[in-house]
Amino acid sequence: MNQKLKWKKPTVGRSIRHSSGGQQRIVLILVRSILGGAAVALILFVAGALAFARLPLPGTLVRPAACMISGAGAMVSGILLARGFGRQRLLCGLGSGMFYALCIAAASALKGGFQMGQREIALVCMLLLAGMLGGALTAVKASGQRGR
């Protein structure tokens, strides 16, 4: 019998196949990465909204601040993804940034045509680079620990 697949006896007249532990681990890492990045971005967006509401900041800073906050969320997501997999960390960070960039592109397409102006392109580049930064930070930290 294959060790990766375990069959359970049918409970309602059909066979049930459980997925292997490796697939569940990958899904858990991906979900934790997405939720962690979204939670950090949400907390920073709330803090930014409070700062703009209570402090005399110019309204022209809202878009750059939102771009930086989105980048911070993508970076945390890249860090969590790279730590979860433990290898090819820069590619994990790139994948995280690519996920968020594709989400922004899909939202732009659903909004009313796929028109990417300079602001949207800057946001996509920020998300890609922030995700890669998260993967690079974990790679640098891991190589520093190995050198000791």
Side-chain angles (χ1 to χ4, degrees):
M1 183 176 201
N2 190 354
Q3 295 293 354
K4 289 185 179 179
L5 300 175
K6 294 182 180 179
W7 294 88
K8 225 178 166 181
K9 292 192 179 196
T11 56
V12 190
R14 23 183 192 141
S15 64
I16 300 171
R17 187 178 93 180
H18 287 274
S19 64
S20 67
Q23 291 174 346
Q24 290 176 350
R25 181 178 169 267
I26 290 172
V27 169
L28 182 67
I29 291 169
L30 291 172
V31 168
R32 186 177 62 187
S33 169
I34 292 170
L35 290 179
V40 166
L42 182 65
I43 290 168
L44 290 176
F45 274 125
V46 169
L50 287 173
F52 277 101
R54 295 182 184 223
L55 298 175
L57 297 172
T60 57
L61 291 179
V62 172
R63 281 190 189 262
C67 186
M68 294 295 289
I69 290 170
S70 300
M75 184 181 72
V76 168
S77 183
I79 288 171
L80 292 175
L81 190 66
R83 277 190 188 165
F85 283 115
R87 60 175 192 235
Q88 297 177 343
R89 295 170 188 240
L90 190 60
L91 288 177
C92 288
L94 177 64
S96 173
M98 184 70 73
F99 170 75
Y100 287 109
L102 288 175
C103 287
I104 292 294
S108 175
L110 289 175
K111 186 174 126 179
F114 189 70
Q115 297 176 355
M116 298 279 288
Q118 287 181 341
R119 293 177 181 162
E120 289 83 11
I121 291 173
L123 179 60
V124 166
C125 291
M126 174 66 153
L127 292 172
L128 284 171
L129 292 174
M132 283 181 57
L133 176 64
L137 288 175
T138 58
V140 167
K141 186 175 180 183
S143 68
Q145 288 176 352
R146 264 187 268 155
R148 291 181 183 176

